[in-house]
Amino acid sequence: MSFESLIAKRFLHKEAGSFSSSLVKIAVVTIALSVTVMIMSMAILRGFQHEIQQKVVGFGSHVVVKSQYLGNQYVADPISNHRDEVERIQQIEGVQHLQFFAEKGGMLKTDDQIHGIIFKGIDKGFDTTFFAQNLTEGRLFSFNDSTASNEIIVSSTIAAKMGLSLGDKARTYFWQGNNYRARAFKVVGIYNTDLSEFDEHYMVGDLRQVQKLNEWGDTLVAGYEILVDDFKNLDAICESITAVLGFDLTAVSIVEQNPSLFAWLDLLNNNIVFILLVMAIVCMVAVISAFLIMIFEKTSMIGVLKTLGANNRSIKEIFLRKSLTIIGRGLLIGNILALLLCWLQRQFHIIKLDSESYSMNFVPIDLNIWYFVAISAGTLLCCLIALLVPTTFISKIDPAKSIRVE
């Protein structure tokens, strides 16, 4: 064991009852609470961003390819699902899945209620994971190989407004030119995403129903929905998709479709930075305060060590080792506490939210080990940098004066 380690260890175990011992405990608690706040803030805000992104993408995918031209009813012209672009898009690196869809605006009517809806038609190749995860009652509709399925799923918002339940007939009217067409669908499932802009209007069913209503052929769809494997690469993948499209097609990312929503989500990053900065400053102040008090309390010891031949570098190392112990204790307790709180919230959803205001009914948690590693390493680095200034006081202590004063 080195000289510095031996002195630091004895210094650690003989501090009980001194003024610095109380301040050391306060510093440990401060660092622990600050680290807990930083980790939980990161986990909650990232969880919130992830949940909103997942819900929006669940309805609209990452990229939508449509015709650039508008038809007679002010909607994009249909496009074929057999175009060469389909295969080219699927071969682009980062593209996870391509699926077809069509939408039709209409009116849902009961004996005493009328509600505007958008009927979203999908086929067998559609990734229904999102709808399956958000079902609150019933099941997903089934596809019939020979005829268009008459089954649909509706949101809990629409079901509550229109008094619909599983097994009910949903009488729906669609505009076609100057006339309308009536359809009676069977409700087999009810979903809830807590995203009011979608839950207020969308009902989902068989793509062939929309094709019949619009008098399209079996190969015509409103567009292609494309899912990517990494949201971070969305812009680059969208540019690659645009590069392989014909002159009559356009690709729009989910960010371009919902600019205000994603701008708001980006603002959350500023909140994360602000919280991390404030908590890092709190940790630095706590460590510096404890460090200075230890120096002032052990001034005579520093003088004795200098008299015995210890240089400033060795004495600084003794106090830095002591400070590392304080920081390490705080980081360990903070990480354990944050992990426990995050796990409890993730498993049991203890803290609830107003779904109408936050688009979810509980505080989401993104439990990522790298948050713990990055925040712990960053806190340690900030505290060590902050200690560079107070260590200079050690070199200014005159051994003759400090011993005489004692």
Side-chain angles (χ1 to χ4, degrees), residues 63 93-94 228-240:
V63 182
E93 184 178 358
V228 303
D229 56 8
D230 191 344
F231 193 89
K232 296 178 182 178
N233 301 327
L234 178 59
D235 291 338
I237 296 174
C238 190
E239 290 179 3
S240 299

Side-chain angles (χ1 to χ4, degrees), residues 4-5 7-9 11 20 24 287 290-303 305-306 311-327 384 387 390-391 393-395 397:
E4 293 82 3
S5 299
I7 299 298
K9 186 176 180 180
F11 183 16
S20 63
V24 164
V287 171
F291 189 88
L292 289 174
I293 293 299
M294 286 189 296
I295 291 176
F296 296 149
E297 193 176 63
K298 300 295 181 181
T299 300
S300 61
M301 185 193 78
I302 295 172
L305 290 175
K306 284 187 175 184
N311 56 33
N312 288 324
R313 178 182 170 278
S314 295
I315 298 173
K316 287 179 182 179
E317 186 175 341
I318 292 171
F319 282 88
L320 285 175
R321 285 177 181 269
K322 170 66 176 179
S323 299
L324 278 174
T325 303
I326 297 172
I327 299 169
L384 291 179
L387 290 175
T391 54
F393 286 101
I394 293 175
S395 59
I397 294 177

Side-chain angles (χ1 to χ4, degrees), residues 268-403:
L268 293 179
N269 293 327
N270 296 333
N271 295 337
I272 294 175
V273 172
F274 177 75
I275 293 172
L276 294 181
L277 181 62
V278 171
M279 291 298 101
I281 292 174
V282 170
C283 291
M284 293 163 64
V285 170
V287 171
I288 291 174
S289 300
F291 189 88
L292 289 174
I293 293 299
M294 286 189 296
I295 291 176
F296 296 149
E297 193 176 63
K298 300 295 181 181
T299 300
S300 61
M301 185 193 78
I302 295 172
V304 171
L305 290 175
K306 284 187 175 184
T307 303
L308 295 175
N311 56 33
N312 288 324
R313 178 182 170 278
S314 295
I315 298 173
K316 287 179 182 179
E317 186 175 341
I318 292 171
F319 282 88
L320 285 175
R321 285 177 181 269
K322 170 66 176 179
S323 299
L324 278 174
T325 303
I326 297 172
I327 299 169
R329 284 179 177 177
L331 291 178
L332 179 61
I333 296 172
N335 276 266
I336 293 174
L337 184 59
L339 179 61
L340 177 61
L341 293 175
C342 287
W343 180 83
L344 288 173
Q345 176 61 25
R346 189 172 183 179
Q347 291 294 120
F348 303 107
H349 301 162
I350 297 171
I351 303 176
K352 303 294 183 180
L353 294 176
D354 179 9
S355 59
E356 292 185 3
S357 301
Y358 296 95
S359 299
M360 57 192 72
N361 55 15
F362 63 90
V363 174
I365 296 292
D366 181 17
L367 196 56
N368 191 322
I369 188 63
W370 290 110
Y371 299 160
F372 293 80
V373 175
I375 289 174
S376 297
T379 303
L380 177 61
L381 180 62
C382 288
C383 290
L384 291 179
I385 292 175
L387 290 175
L388 293 178
V389 175
T391 54
T392 58
F393 286 101
I394 293 175
S395 59
K396 296 180 180 180
I397 294 177
D398 186 346
K401 291 182 179 180
S402 62
I403 295 174

Side-chain angles (χ1 to χ4, degrees), residues 211-231:
Q211 290 172 331
K212 288 183 177 181
L213 288 166
N214 288 333
E215 298 179 347
W216 292 349
D218 294 340
T219 62
L220 293 181
V221 296
Y224 318 145
E225 290 186 346
I226 300 158
L227 302 175
V228 303
D229 56 8
D230 191 344
F231 193 89

Side-chain angles (χ1 to χ4, degrees), residues 21 53 62 73 162 166 219 225 227 248 251 328 336 348 361:
S21 65
Q53 286 177 1
H62 292 102
Q73 300 181 40
M162 305 304 293
L166 296 180
T219 62
E225 290 186 346
L227 302 175
D248 59 329
I336 293 174
F348 303 107
N361 55 15

